[in-house]
Amino acid sequence: MAPRTARAPGESGLFSIGQVLALLQGDFGDLSPSKLRFLEEQGLIAPERSKSGYRKFSQAHVERLRLILTLQRDHYLPLRVIAEVLAEIDQGRDPVIPGAGPRSASSILSPRRVLGREELQRQTGAASRFIGEAIAAGLLPAAEVFPHDSIAEVTALMKLAEHGITPRHLRAMRVAAERDAELVEQAVEARGAASGSPSGAEDALELAALLETVRGGVVRRKLGR
């Protein structure tokens, strides 16, 4: 199946269902239009409506959805408890997440601002063709909406290109990184199964950082020969 492509939000700054799916499905693969509608029916999310009746989501709606889905996936909270957490947030509080020790909602998720393609180009100075090459190489999401940390990634890619290392040269690196991600996911799942308790995003990030350290050491030793 071809990757879903999202366009940047319109002048209203609002996203369609398709754009929301493009933003979130990379992290939450089981997200679907029916699930979005179900969460709305449960009163957890209340998107705006266009004059023709289509659902429209703001950046705040997207981050609320990210929080809901994270609490479901990583903390196994039922919708009833998630609704209580959201109610406290709506009242201006920063609730402690049940079963997560002293962690609060704000410590689990920080807002993730997204960029349209034109804004990403403007902030990095990258040409549209260069962004397209990075997307074709699998180094950026196949979308017109990008996470804010794409600025650092594109900047790094441009500096590499100045030395003749273009996005197409990095396809093998992307494949290796995806294999690393699969390895991390398997390790986290196995650890959770062995301990009888869920292992979540923190464990995955810790393992990813360890892999980065090992990979960097290998590269430095190779260059030192």
Side-chain angles (χ1 to χ4, degrees):
M1 181 181 294
R4 183 183 296 274
T5 300
R7 297 185 180 278
E11 295 180 0
S12 64
L14 300 178
F15 300 94
S16 67
I17 283 184
Q19 291 168 331
V20 171
L21 293 175
L23 286 170
L24 296 178
Q25 278 185 329
D27 293 325
F28 307 98
D30 62 345
L31 185 61
S32 64
S34 61
K35 184 166 185 176
L36 285 177
R37 288 191 288 269
F38 174 74
L39 294 175
E40 181 183 1
E41 291 168 1
Q42 297 302 306
L44 299 180
I45 187 77
E48 300 179 26
R49 295 277 183 165
S50 67
K51 292 182 179 179
S52 53
Y54 291 104
R55 294 172 177 82
K56 293 293 182 180
F57 299 80
S58 67
Q59 181 65 47
H61 289 134
V62 173
E63 295 311 319
R64 188 179 181 92
L65 280 167
R66 192 186 298 278
L67 176 58
I68 292 167
L69 297 170
T70 298
L71 293 177
Q72 278 189 311
R73 183 193 64 191
D74 297 346
H75 299 275
Y76 300 89
L77 296 185
L79 293 183
R80 174 185 57 79
V81 177
I82 292 175
E84 293 172 358
V85 171
L86 294 174
E88 287 199 55
I89 292 174
D90 292 341
Q91 292 171 16
R93 304 190 185 100
D94 186 15
V96 172
I97 302 304
R103 301 188 67 198
S104 64
S106 63
S107 69
I108 291 176
L109 292 177
S110 58
R112 301 185 185 183
R113 191 164 71 87
V114 295
L115 308 167
R117 183 162 176 162
E118 290 184 1
E119 185 178 359
L120 179 60
Q121 291 177 221
R122 188 163 52 249
Q123 297 233 16
T124 61
S128 178
R129 180 176 178 178
F130 187 84
I131 299 294
E133 290 174 353
I135 292 173
L139 304 173
L140 290 175
E144 293 295 325
V145 181
F146 304 88
H148 193 263
D149 52 13
S150 295
I151 293 176
E153 295 173 15
V154 171
T155 300
L157 287 171
M158 292 175 66
K159 289 181 179 179
L160 287 169
E162 291 174 1
H163 295 276
I165 304 175
T166 66
R168 66 183 179 84
H169 293 127
L170 299 175
R171 289 178 186 269
M173 184 208 69
R174 186 259 301 169
V175 172
E178 291 175 349
R179 289 175 179 166
D180 285 349
E182 292 176 0
L183 184 64
V184 167
E185 288 176 351
Q186 292 169 5
V188 169
E189 290 175 1
R191 180 177 177 181
S195 64
S197 61
S199 296
E202 280 193 358
D203 290 326
L205 291 175
E206 180 182 355
L207 292 178
L210 293 173
L211 283 174
E212 287 293 336
T213 299
V214 173
R215 184 188 296 111
V218 172
V219 173
R220 286 190 295 273
R221 284 193 297 275
K222 183 69 174 178
L223 291 174
R225 290 179 181 175

